[in-house]
C-alpha cells in the first residue's frame, strides 16, 4: 500500500472533517482514497425508519460530489433482512456478490448501478447506527480484508461527520 496506518488515518480524517459541507468532505476523501483502495463511487446513507427506505445523503465519484436526498424504497424482505448472515471483517461488510443480499440488490437496481464489488461500513453514535458508508467499484471481488481494515480505521471520523450533518440538516 505504501502508507502506514497513522498517516492514512490522519490524511483521510483531515479530508472527512475538513469541511462542514458533507459532500465536499466526501469528494476530498474520494480523491485521497483512490490511491489506496479501488473505488468508483462512495456514498453516505442512512435508513429512514419512518419511510421504510434508504436515504442517500451524499455521493462522490471521480467527476463530482454532491449533497443529495434520494429516498430508495425497500421491500419488506430487505427491511427485515438478517445482516448477521453477511461477511463482516473489521466491522465492514464485504459483498463479492452484492445482488444476493436484498438490501444491496434493491439499492443497486433502483439506482441502476453496475456494481460487482461493495463494502458497507455501519456508522454508529452512542451505540445507535446512524448511517452507512458505502464503497462501490466495478470488477469481481475487488475488495480485500486489507481494504476493509483500512476503511474500518475511519469509522469514527465518518460517524462524527455524518452526525453533524444530520444535526444541522434538521435545524
Amino acid at each position: 500500500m505504501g502508507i502506514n496506518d497513522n498517516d492514512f488515518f490522519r490524511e483521510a480524517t483531515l479530508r472527512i472533517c475538513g469541511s462542514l459541507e458533507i459532500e465536499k468532505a466526501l469528494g476530498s476523501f474520494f480523491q485521497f482514497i483512490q490511491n489506496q483502495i479501488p473505488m468508483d463511487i462512495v456514498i453516505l446513507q442512512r435508513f429512514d425508519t419512518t419511510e421504510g427506505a434508504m436515504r442517500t445523503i451524499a455521493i462522490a465519484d471521480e467527476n463530482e460530489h454532491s449533497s443529495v436526498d434520494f429516498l430508495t424504497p425497500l421491500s419488506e424482505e430487505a427491511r427485515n433482512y438478517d445482516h448477521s448472515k453477511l461477511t463482516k471483517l473489521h466491522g465492514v461488510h464485504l459483498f463479492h456478490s452484492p445482488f444476493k443480499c436484498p438490501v444491496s440488490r434493491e439499492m443497486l437496481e433502483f439506482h441502476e448501478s453496475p456494481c460487482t464489488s461493495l463494502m458497507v461500513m455501519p456508522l454508529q453514535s452512542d451505540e445507535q447506527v446512524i448511517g452507512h458508508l458505502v464503497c462501490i467499484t466495478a470488477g469481481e471481488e475487488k475488495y480485500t480484508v486489507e481494504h476493509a481494515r483500512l476503511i474500518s480505521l475511519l469509522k469514527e471520523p465518518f460517524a462524527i461527520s455524518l452526525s453533524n450533518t444530520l444535526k444541522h440538516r434538521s435545524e
Side-chain angles (χ1 to χ4, degrees):
M1 288 273 169
I3 190 168
N4 72 42
D5 286 358
N6 288 333
D7 290 341
F8 174 81
F9 179 80
R10 183 176 50 78
E11 292 297 323
T13 299
L14 286 172
R15 286 158 175 78
I16 296 164
C17 299
S19 176
L20 293 176
E21 297 175 41
I22 193 84
E23 68 278 6
K24 287 184 181 177
L26 199 61
S28 180
F29 167 74
F30 182 85
Q31 296 304 317
F32 167 74
I33 202 70
Q34 280 188 301
N35 296 323
Q36 313 299 322
I37 297 174
M39 190 97 47
D40 294 326
I41 301 169
V42 63
I43 300 167
L44 281 171
Q45 63 187 24
R46 71 178 189 83
F47 182 70
D48 187 321
T49 54
T50 56
E51 298 288 337
M54 197 64 77
R55 186 174 297 279
T56 302
I57 296 164
I59 189 167
D61 63 22
E62 187 172 44
N63 301 313
E64 64 181 320
H65 54 269
S66 56
S67 175
V68 296
D69 190 14
F70 298 142
L71 199 59
T72 306
L74 295 177
S75 68
E76 186 174 342
E77 176 192 12
R79 289 191 309 269
N80 296 322
Y81 184 72
D82 180 5
H83 289 87
S84 67
K85 298 177 184 178
L86 301 175
T87 302
K88 194 170 185 180
L89 302 162
H90 304 286
V92 177
H93 298 288
L94 292 180
F95 297 82
H96 295 300
S97 301
F99 287 91
K100 289 183 179 177
C101 170
V103 178
S104 56
R105 179 181 64 243
E106 290 177 22
M107 292 292 296
L108 294 168
E109 286 174 352
F110 186 86
H111 295 286
E112 299 177 349
S113 176
C115 166
T116 50
S117 290
L118 180 69
M119 272 194 305
V120 178
M121 179 170 63
L123 302 173
Q124 293 180 288
S125 177
D126 298 325
E127 301 299 316
Q128 177 184 0
V129 175
I130 59 168
H132 299 86
L133 176 73
V134 180
C135 305
I136 299 173
T137 195
E140 297 289 324
E141 299 185 22
K142 288 285 188 162
Y143 291 123
T144 66
V145 173
E146 178 61 11
H147 295 141
R149 188 188 69 75
L150 283 174
I151 285 294
S152 75
L153 297 175
L154 306 175
K155 184 175 279 218
E156 287 184 35
F158 269 115
I160 291 167
S161 184
L162 180 58
S163 181
N164 287 338
T165 295
L166 295 173
K167 181 180 179 189
H168 292 291
R169 281 191 181 180
S170 65
E171 292 177 348

